[in-house]
Structure formats: C-alpha cells, structure tokens
Amino acid sequence: APIHTYQVCKVMEQNQNNWLLTSWISNEGASRIFIELKFTLRDCNSLPGGLGTCKETFNMYYFESDDEDGRNIKENQYIKIDTIAADESFTELDLGDRVMKLNTEVRDVGPLTKKGFYLAFQDVGACIALVSVRVYYKKCPSVIHNLAHFPDTITGGDSSQLLEVSGVCINHSVTEEAPKMHCSAEGEWLVPIGKCLCKAGYEEKNNTCQVCRPGFFKASPHSPSCSKCPPHSYTLDEASTSCLCEEDYFRKESDPPTMACTRPPSAPRSAISNINETSVFLEWIPPADTGGRKDVSYYIACKKCSSHSGLCEACGSHVRYLPQQTDLKNTSVMMMDLLAHTNYTFEIEAVNGVSDQNPGARQFVSVNVTTNQAAPSPVSTVKKGKITKNSISLSWQEPDRPNGIILEYEIKYFEKDQETSYTIIKSKETTITADGLKPGSAYVFQIRARTAAGYGGFSQRFEFETSPLDKNTLLLWLFFGFFSFSRRCGYSKAKQDPEEEKMHFHNGHIKLPGVRTYVDPHTYEDPNQAVHEFAKEIEASCITIERVIGAGEFGEVCSGRLKLQGKREFPVAIKTLKVGYTEKQRRDFLGEASIMGQFDHPNIIHLEGVITKSKPVMIVTEYMENGSLDTFLKKNDGQFTVIQLVGMLRGIVSGMKYLSDMGYVHRDLAARNILINSNLVCKVSDFGLSRVLEDDPEAAYTTRGGKIPIRWTAPEAIAFRKFTSASDVWSYGIVMWEVMSYGERPYWEMTNQDVIKAVEEGYRLPSPMDCPAALYQLMLDCWQKDRNSRPKFDEIVSMLDKLIRNPSNLKTLVNASTSNLLVEHSPIGSSAYRSVGEWLEAIKMGRYTEIFMENGYSSMDAVAQVTLE
Ligand code: ACK
C-alpha cells in the first residue's frame, strides 16, 4: 500500500548495500510463483550532485526453505531472480507536478522444491520506493467438462509445462472413456480427452445428470435423452431403463426397448382354395392386425376329416408343402400328395415374434376342402399283338394307380414324324387294332386312361412298324391304294368295335363329337325314377329351416341345417316347391336335382338330396355363405386382389370344364348363377331343364321364339340356338368381365337389340378398369365369332393356373379407357371390309392382293383363319 512504502535514497554515498527481506511465504504447493513489484525510481540525471554514485536499478533474490528460519540466512545464500530497472523514472519536476511515475514489473521463479521461500531486495545506491509486492501462483480453476469434474489444479513448475489431470464422472454418470484435461502454465484448461455419459435412466441437462421421470426411460448411457415409453408400454418409476408392456402385449427378447410392445397377429383373412386333383392351393390376405410387428409368418395345420363322423386327425407326413409348412413368408401355399376324395381342413395361422408368449391368443382361419379324385397314372406297359401290312394290334395293362374306375382308354397314334396329323381311338378294353395304316411304316402310339376324375397323363411313346408290301401288292397299291390309305383326316367308319370310338385330328382340330356322359333326365319316362337315380331322399325331420334367403322360380329359397344320422349337423340351402304346383312344375323343379345329382366337383354346387315323400317338396344343397357372385362382387367393390379374382375365375372354369367333359351345356352361365362361399370358393349352380326359357329374368324372347339371356349368350346361340360348350365359353368370357369389373352389368344400359347388333358387327366389351392384359385377352378369345377358335375350358384352366403360379404376368394392365364404349375387336375387322382387296388396300398392302387370291384366301372369312405360321 502506498502508505507502507519501503524507501531508500542514499545516492550521494558510496558502496551502498541495503537489504529488505520479506517474512517466510508459503508457496501453498505451487512450484512456480510470480512476483509483481510496484515501485518508483528517481532519475539519476535529475540529481545535482550524486551522478557518480547514483544507480537506477535494484536486485531481487529468493531463498527456499521448508520453515521460518530465514533470519539467519546469509546474504550470499540468496539466489538472484533479476536486476530490476524502471521503465519510468521521475525527476524533481515531476514531483513538483505531483505526478507519481509508478513502475510495475513481474518476475517468476520456479520450479520450487520446498514449502516456502523468502524474497530479498538489494539496493546498491538508487533512490527507490517499493510500493507493493504481490506474490502469487496460477491455477486451472475447478470445472465440469463432458460430465467429468476437474478440480482446482495448480499449474506446473515449468512455464511451458502441460499438467495432465484426470476428471471424475459426476453423479449418475459413467465413464465412456477416461476423461482427462491439461492444465497449462497460464492456468488454462487445454486438450480435453475422453468423456462421461449419464447412466441408463438419467439424461444430461445443464452439465448434470437428471433422472428420467415416470413414463419416460433411457435404456443405455449412449441414448441422448429420456424418451417417452413406446406404444403399449408404461413405467411408474423414476430412473427407468425400460418400460413394461401393457397386459396382452409383449416384447421379443431381441426387440429393442425403444420398440413398441406388440401382440400376436389376428387371423389371416379371405382364404381361398383351389383344388387340382389331390393338390390344394391356398391363398389368403395378411391379417387385419399384424400385432404391430413386421415379422408375420404363417403356419399351416392340416387335418383330415371323416365325412361320416366329422372327426378330424392330423394329416401325417406324406403331405408335401410348397414352399413349406411353417414359417411361410408369402400368403400362399400348395399342398400336394393329399388323398383323393377326402375332406381336409387346413388351418392357416398367422404367427409373429411374440406368438409364443401368448399361446392362448393364436388365431387362424380354416378352409375346408374336398380333394378331387386323382387322375389315373400313365399306362406303363404296352405290347404289340398281330401286325399286318395295314394294321397294328396292341394290348396294355391297367395303370399302376388307376385312382378310380377306368371308364375308357384313349389311344393316340400317328405316322412317325407326322405328329401334326394324328388319330385318336377310344376303347373300353385294354386292346385295340389300329387299321388303315401304310405298309412298311413306323407308327407312334401313346395311351392314356380316363376315370371320373378326368384323363391321366399319356404313356411314353411306343413305336411299331407295319409289315412291308410284297411286290405285287405294291403295284396294286400304286394304282388304287393310295387314297384309301391316306384317309387319315377323315372319319373312318370301317370295322369299328362298338366299344371303340375313333377321331381324327389335323393340326389339333377334332373331327368327331366327344363322349357324352351326362344323362338328360328327359330320357327317363318316369321323372321320379330319374330323380331317385341321381339324388338321395332325405327325411323331412332331418331338416331345420331357419330363414328365407331369396325367391326361386318355383318357390322360396331358405337357409337351414341338415342333420343326417351319424353325421354332424351342417348348414344347407333349401329350395322349396310352392304349394299348388302343377305336375309339370314338379317335374321341372326336380329336374334340376336330377341334373345336379350327376355332378361331383368342388366347383359345382353339391346336391345333398331331395324331399319328395312329404310336402313341401324340397331340394337340399350345400350352403354358400356369400350367396350369388354378382351381388357379392357389387357389395365388395374393389376389395379383392387380382389373384383372388383370378382364383374365383379358376374355380368357375374348373367347374365348367367338368360340365363340358360330362357333355353338359349350361346355357345360362352368368355371375348371378354362380354361388360363392365364405372361403371365396365359387361354384356353378342353376341347372334347370326349362331354366333358360323361363327362370332367368335376364332371358329375353328372341325372334325365333326362345328365351335367351342375350348379354351372356354367344351370337350363334342367339341366332340359331346353337348351344355348345363353345357357347358356354363365350358366356364364361362375359363372367370373367363381370368378375373383373366387380359385378358391372355387361353392355350397361344398352338394349338387347343394340347388344346383338354391336356384337354382330364385331364390337366387344372394353377391358374392365385395372384388368390385367392377359385376362382381357382371354375374354376376347372367348368372344371369337368363330366358335371353334374360342379356347376350350381345359385350356382356360391351364392358362389361369399359369397366371396363378406366375402372378407377375398379371402385372401388365390394359390401358383401359374408363369410357363405356364398345371396342372393335374383330381380328382383322372382317365385318368392316367386303373383300380381301379392300382390306389389304386399307392396311396399305394392296400389292399383295394377287398373292392372297392365288393361295385361296379369296374371302374375308378365309383370311380370318390365317395363322401365324
Ligand atoms: O344372392 P343370394 O343371396 O344367393 O340370393 C339368391 C337366392 O338364394 C335365390 O336364388 C340364394 N341361394 C341360392 N342357392 C343358395 C345356396 N346354395 N347357398 C346360399 N344361398 C343360395 C342366392
């Protein structure tokens, strides 16, 4: 302080050596100390007489010691710190002006090794006043950095030294990497390394670790902050590291605590089945509720059920599953090698990562199917019998696995390397003689068997040769024989076994009508006999009628239950014959049962039986929960995947193939006459005798007097009542259109007359919206004017099967116009051109007219037959 100054000013005297000592100063652990001096010093030049002896500096010393024994230290024991000179010295003038020119000098000393020290100031003849001496050391102040606490740290002894200091993690934090900082000689923290993190259950706020509140959690020190409990979880505690799942919700071991709690999925939906002999294809839609998880897979349980007792047992290991039975990632599966004609129940269960934790919540959808009879296996052994110049006799053995009663064999043969021109013989025996053959020529034979389930595969090819001609016969043959031997493509009546039927084919075109196995009930004199031939009589007491579901031609249609002795009760549909019926009405009513009773196919409505012995007379069929297909589709507009719609179409065409194989022409195939059950299985129904004439409200009278459902009927059937399986194919095309447009009315509100005219002129329905191109093309094929060019039902079955197996082919959609205009789809617009020449001109190919004429393509009809080849 200015008052306590130490002064000396003996500038006039020689040999000055004046010492000023401090008391002992503890260095408080510091090893470098700083000394700040404030002093004034008189300018020697301003002293009149003292120039010779006057000095302008003084010296500063120190002496280290651990205790206060400094009074005895000799001056020469002190170590010099520095000679201090003034930056500013003052003169007498300055004094007169009362200006005090105070100097400040700082010096540092270190490293110190003892507990304290003394300072000493030596004057050697200057005029000085020491105003203040401040002794201090420097430290890095305590700090929290990266959640680590670093204490007050005294700097090191060396002026360039960095002291490494370890930090201590603050409360509720843990070491991530050992925290360190460096304390510089200047007292600054430098180069931080490592850090601490708030432990689980705590989050960092303002350099502290704060507890997570109830309802929040932090699972790991590495999460930045507390998070709200994920959906379906909670915590009531502070400092939670995870949240508990609500009741019925679970977490899989590998689920992160940040993930919502989840639950087992609901059941898969809308399962549909397609049956192909002893294979069943199941398809379904993922469950409405996946339980909040992405790891949904499916498990198929297979049960074989007795149709008598209704009891089910596990299917056993012989059933093959494609791709597999469990852990199915896709929503479809194929079961193969099932038993023929057997009831199966498949339970499709959706499973996810937490299903195991709540076995009670497992849900499945079940599908009941009855497998078809399997087709027979191929004939394996064929032996040649008698061989002549013109004939070859063959015999063979029944296939190893006939899978039913063999109804007949089909023998296909052709001259070697002439495969496009072949003959088919049908035989009920296991021997045939192929005659009318060329002498000395090789023929290829293939045989297949047919049961009620259809044809089996063809056998391998067997090759046999006719005997060669002798010379004389050869000459005769050259003169006369050629024509009779080359009649391959004509219908041969020669010497035919009554059990055999022979058909000739050229390029796949059949030359003879097929076999007819369906029996027209009209052929029975007594209609009662017909109905009891094909339908079971049910006792009225076995039936419980529950409610009316619609009106049929002959009376009400009801739903109810049927309980047969020794069987489980099951739902049925019951068609009744209204009271006061005429004999003809009763005959027609029961006629449907006589027809239906002849069919046994999963896609044909199944007749349970009839009640004729009591009144009302009833027809009892299986119950189809979803009613008729057109109403069902309208109700569920846009609700199905393309594959589901194709599945429905596959079912319908499979039923129609069966009907056409049986020789039955439906005549009124339309979505309103298809019923659909809860598994979305479609079945063909409505088999009336006079049905087409009276029953269908869509049927209209034609100019020829018949009543026909115009919009669904092929032109040749409308024009001259040519009803065939090919006209059913036309109707099937319309059904495809109805299905793909969710029950839209074909040709909308056009009048029947306009429909007939438009179709006759080559116009066709446009593609339904979002319809796969492959399906629309199939519709157009069904609507070919020439009925022989329409695909056959078995071809449609395989086409749809192919599409179901490779759904990617359904991706290309028709660029459908949303307008309701008909489109011209005649293959080459034949109706628009009167002559071949006119047509070729129109397509700028008039120069080829002559070539067409020369080759026999002289009419547009002939041109329409041109194939790609
Ligand atoms: O569209 P829907 O409900 O289905 O209305 C008609 C009505 O009876 C008159 O035919 C329904 N129907 C007919 N047969 C059956 C059946 N086997 N199962 C369920 N409903 C049926 C049809």
Side-chain angles (χ1 to χ4, degrees):
I3 298 164
H4 301 283
T5 56
Y6 294 90
Q7 304 185 35
V8 62
C9 197
K10 300 210 172 151
V11 288
M12 302 299 188
E13 294 162 40
Q14 297 281 340
N15 301 326
Q16 290 299 307
N17 185 18
N18 309 307
W19 287 74
L20 173 67
L21 301 183
T22 67
S23 48
W24 186 79
I25 302 169
S26 160
N27 62 29
E28 294 184 359
S31 52
R32 171 159 298 271
I33 52 135
F34 296 80
I35 306 125
E36 182 202 74
L37 303 176
K38 290 196 173 161
F39 61 95
T40 59
L41 193 130
R42 174 90 185 238
D43 183 355
C44 284
N45 287 329
S46 68
L47 291 168
L51 269 177
T53 54
C54 177
K55 300 281 180 319
E56 289 186 347
T57 61
F58 63 96
N59 301 317
M60 180 159 66
Y61 299 85
Y62 76 106
F63 177 80
E64 278 195 87
S65 77
D66 282 326
D67 44 39
E68 302 185 38
D69 56 359
R71 293 287 154 219
N72 305 318
I73 305 161
K74 295 200 181 97
E75 285 155 7
N76 62 7
Q77 287 178 280
Y78 281 93
I79 301 161
K80 185 166 177 182
I81 297 173
D82 205 359
T83 298
I84 314 288
D87 294 330
E88 306 258 6
S89 50
F90 64 91
T91 61
E92 210 148 30
L93 278 175
D94 297 325
L95 284 174
D97 292 345
R98 293 186 172 274
V99 181
M100 184 64 114
K101 290 193 169 164
L102 196 60
N103 292 284
T104 305
E105 294 288 331
V106 177
R107 295 291 180 275
D108 59 325
V109 184
L112 302 180
T113 54
K114 300 199 170 156
K115 286 184 185 161
F117 56 91
Y118 295 94
L119 289 179
F121 305 92
Q122 180 193 27
D123 166 54
V124 285
C127 186
I128 41 175
L130 193 53
V131 176
S132 86
V133 177
R134 190 163 73 94
V135 179
Y136 60 93
Y137 55 86
K138 291 186 180 176
K139 65 178 182 181
C140 294
S142 78
V143 72
I144 291 178
H145 187 82
N146 282 344
L147 296 181
H149 176 255
F150 294 89
D152 265 350
T153 303
I154 297 166
T155 58
D158 250 326
S159 57
S160 59
Q161 191 180 0
L162 285 181
L163 273 187
E164 187 186 270
V165 182
S166 293
V168 176
C169 288
I170 61 165
N171 268 354
H172 309 303
S173 73
V174 289
T175 311
E176 156 82 349
E177 186 195 335
K180 283 179 191 159
M181 282 220 278
H182 295 86
C183 180
S184 77
E186 286 311 305
E188 283 169 335
W189 289 110
L190 300 176
V191 204
I193 298 172
K195 61 176 171 184
C196 304
L197 297 172
C198 288
K199 66 182 183 186
Y202 291 83
E203 67 184 345
E204 181 179 346
K205 259 187 202 155
N206 305 328
N207 270 339
T208 59
C209 288
Q210 304 272 333
V211 69
C212 294
R213 286 177 289 128
F216 288 79
F217 78 106
K218 201 184 95 169
S220 129
H222 295 277
S223 325
S225 56
C226 301
S227 318
K228 217 167 181 319
C229 284
H232 305 298
S233 70
Y234 69 97
T235 159
L236 304 174
D237 299 329
E238 286 195 328
S240 296
T241 55
S242 65
C243 301
L244 302 171
C245 286
E246 289 169 5
E247 201 178 336
D248 293 335
Y249 283 85
F250 306 92
R251 208 172 259 141
K252 197 178 160 182
E253 226 168 84
S254 55
D255 287 351
T258 45
M259 191 174 136
C261 291
T262 55
R263 58 179 173 183
S266 59
R269 293 171 296 160
S270 306
I272 52 166
S273 59
N274 266 315
I275 304 159
N276 190 355
E277 297 189 347
T278 54
S279 300
V280 173
F281 177 78
L282 291 182
E283 202 195 14
W284 57 91
I285 300 186
D289 176 12
T290 60
R293 304 189 65 88
K294 292 206 173 76
D295 55 359
V296 175
S297 64
Y298 304 95
Y299 166 78
I300 309 294
C302 171
K303 293 178 186 167
K304 196 173 76 186
C305 303
S306 151
S307 53
H308 297 291
S309 63
L311 291 177
C312 299
E313 56 179 341
C315 291
S317 57
H318 64 92
V319 179
R320 279 192 300 142
Y321 298 81
L322 227 159
Q324 71 250 3
Q325 182 178 16
T326 54
D327 201 25
L328 285 162
K329 301 288 186 244
N330 291 332
T331 54
S332 63
V333 68
M334 180 96 156
M335 271 75 57
M336 287 167 299
D337 299 344
L338 298 166
L339 301 178
H341 254 310
T342 305
N343 292 337
Y344 282 96
T345 296
F346 295 104
E347 290 170 355
I348 309 163
E349 184 187 334
V351 178
N352 67 15
V354 296
S355 291
D356 289 346
Q357 299 187 48
N358 193 2
R362 296 185 141 200
Q363 289 188 48
F364 54 80
V365 60
S366 59
V367 181
N368 300 323
V369 298
T370 307
T371 48
N372 297 347
Q373 195 164 336
S377 64
V379 168
S380 52
T381 16
V382 176
K383 282 196 205 133
K384 66 178 177 199
K386 190 173 170 217
I387 291 190
T388 70
K389 293 190 288 290
N390 311 123
S391 69
I392 297 172
S393 299
L394 299 178
S395 63
W396 57 89
Q397 271 171 5
E398 196 177 75
D400 300 337
R401 279 172 290 114
N403 291 330
I405 298 167
I406 293 191
L407 301 173
E408 65 182 1
Y409 292 95
E410 189 178 271
I411 303 94
K412 173 180 171 183
Y413 66 90
F414 51 87
E415 191 181 342
K416 194 176 173 192
D417 303 329
Q418 305 282 322
E419 193 166 352
T420 51
S421 189
Y422 58 88
T423 302
I424 281 189
I425 302 181
K426 295 194 176 185
S427 167
K428 294 203 164 37
E429 307 301 324
T430 53
T431 55
I432 55 125
T433 301
D435 47 17
L437 309 181
K438 276 192 207 167
S441 307
Y443 283 85
V444 175
F445 291 83
Q446 281 184 289
I447 301 172
R448 61 178 180 173
R450 183 169 77 86
T451 63
Y455 283 108
F458 267 118
S459 67
Q460 64 178 93
R461 293 170 170 218
F462 293 91
E463 202 178 306
F464 303 109
E465 213 168 299
T466 47
S467 327
L469 279 182
D470 55 50
K471 247 189 200 163
N472 292 340
T473 337
L474 180 64
L475 274 175
L476 269 178
W477 180 76
L478 279 177
F479 275 105
F480 308 110
F482 179 76
F483 292 102
S484 64
F485 290 131
S486 61
R487 286 194 326 177
R488 270 195 314 270
C489 301
Y491 169 47
S492 157
K493 276 193 195 132
K495 279 196 276 149
Q496 211 178 315
D497 185 326
E499 293 279 41
E500 273 180 19
E501 242 186 286
K502 194 170 190 179
M503 286 180 277
H504 302 272
F505 295 82
H506 189 74
N507 286 333
H509 290 295
I510 191 164
K511 305 279 181 178
L512 256 187
V515 197
R516 195 178 169 84
T517 36
Y518 150 76
V519 182
D520 185 345
H522 279 129
T523 56
Y524 284 75
E525 253 173 54
D526 173 7
N528 260 328
Q529 192 199 337
V531 76
H532 286 113
E533 179 106 344
F534 301 118
K536 267 191 304 197
E537 178 73 28
I538 295 175
E539 270 182 42
S541 60
C542 302
I543 289 281
T544 323
I545 294 182
E546 282 174 344
R547 59 192 174 87
V548 177
I549 51 175
E553 186 203 350
F554 298 97
E556 282 155 346
V557 181
C558 304
S559 65
R561 306 186 71 79
L562 173 62
K563 169 82 184 79
L564 293 172
Q565 219 181 3
K567 281 196 182 182
R568 254 195 320 195
E569 191 179 60
F570 58 94
V572 286
I574 305 146
K575 282 191 175 182
T576 58
L577 176 59
K578 57 188 168 235
V579 287
Y581 52 83
T582 63
E583 194 42 44
K584 179 175 181 307
Q585 278 174 328
R586 178 187 147 98
R587 209 175 38 234
D588 288 350
F589 177 71
L590 290 175
E592 178 168 20
S594 309
I595 297 170
M596 219 191 289
Q598 296 183 50
F599 304 140
D600 179 16
H601 188 272
N603 298 103
I604 304 290
I605 195 83
H606 174 71
L607 177 73
E608 294 297 340
V610 291
I611 298 175
T612 62
K613 305 234 158 91
S614 60
K615 286 190 184 157
V617 174
M618 297 187 237
I619 298 177
V620 182
T621 65
E622 67 181 303
Y623 182 65
M624 302 290 283
E625 295 83 348
N626 282 319
S628 50
L629 181 60
D630 64 331
T631 326
F632 176 69
L633 288 174
K634 278 179 215 153
K635 242 189 284 169
N636 295 287
D637 192 1
Q639 301 292 304
F640 300 111
T641 62
V642 168
I643 276 287
Q644 284 180 302
L645 296 176
V646 176
M648 297 176 197
L649 292 174
R650 163 66 168 77
I652 302 168
V653 77
S654 171
M656 287 309 296
K657 172 189 170 325
Y658 175 82
L659 293 182
S660 76
D661 285 349
M662 291 278 287
Y664 179 81
V665 179
H666 191 289
R667 296 176 175 222
D668 197 9
L669 176 58
R672 65 182 168 281
N673 289 330
I674 303 292
L675 292 169
I676 179 160
N677 70 12
S678 56
N679 290 326
L680 302 190
V681 176
C682 287
K683 308 203 180 193
V684 181
S685 89
D686 210 46
F687 303 99
L689 282 177
S690 58
R691 168 182 43 77
V692 175
L693 299 179
E694 279 141 35
D695 181 12
D696 190 338
E698 278 295 347
Y701 287 98
T702 63
T703 45
R704 297 173 119 235
K707 215 178 161 203
I708 286 173
I710 300 293
R711 284 153 215 273
W712 282 264
T713 307
E716 73 277 5
I718 298 176
F720 45 93
R721 303 188 60 74
K722 184 75 191 157
F723 284 99
T724 55
S725 288
S727 63
D728 277 353
V729 166
W730 178 291
S731 312
Y732 177 76
I734 304 285
V735 172
M736 286 184 76
W737 190 90
E738 290 184 275
V739 169
M740 296 314 292
S741 54
Y742 284 93
E744 182 62 83
R745 177 168 167 77
Y747 310 98
W748 304 276
E749 298 317 318
M750 279 171 73
T751 64
N752 278 343
Q753 275 318 311
D754 285 348
V755 170
I756 295 175
K757 194 155 163 273
V759 170
E760 206 43 60
E761 283 173 4
Y763 289 96
R764 298 291 182 263
L765 283 166
S767 167
M769 269 218 286
D770 300 331
C771 178
L775 293 178
Y776 183 54
Q777 186 53 51
L778 190 51
M779 295 179 207
L780 291 176
D781 292 345
C782 294
W783 302 329
Q784 296 260 14
K785 185 181 170 60
D786 171 19
R787 64 175 183 277
N788 295 318
S789 310
R790 293 173 204 154
K792 308 286 173 292
F793 280 123
D794 59 346
E795 291 166 349
I796 304 177
V797 171
S798 2
M799 274 187 252
L800 294 187
D801 278 348
K802 250 185 236 157
L803 289 175
I804 289 171
R805 262 183 246 121
N806 302 306
S808 56
N809 295 343
L810 291 165
K811 292 234 165 76
T812 322
L813 303 182
V814 180
N815 264 345
S817 65
T818 44
S819 79
N820 295 347
L821 292 179
L822 297 193
V823 277
E824 191 179 331
H825 277 296
S826 169
I828 44 174
S830 57
S831 61
Y833 303 105
R834 270 160 302 166
S835 70
V836 177
E838 193 185 320
W839 166 60
L840 285 171
E841 284 301 333
I843 60 169
K844 308 243 175 316
M845 297 223 171
R847 61 188 180 284
Y848 295 113
T849 308
E850 215 165 291
I851 299 176
F852 270 71
M853 295 301 162
E854 279 167 10
N855 286 282
Y857 293 106
S858 53
S859 71
M860 285 311 288
D861 279 348
V863 171
Q865 305 294 323
V866 173
T867 63
L868 264 185
E869 274 162 21

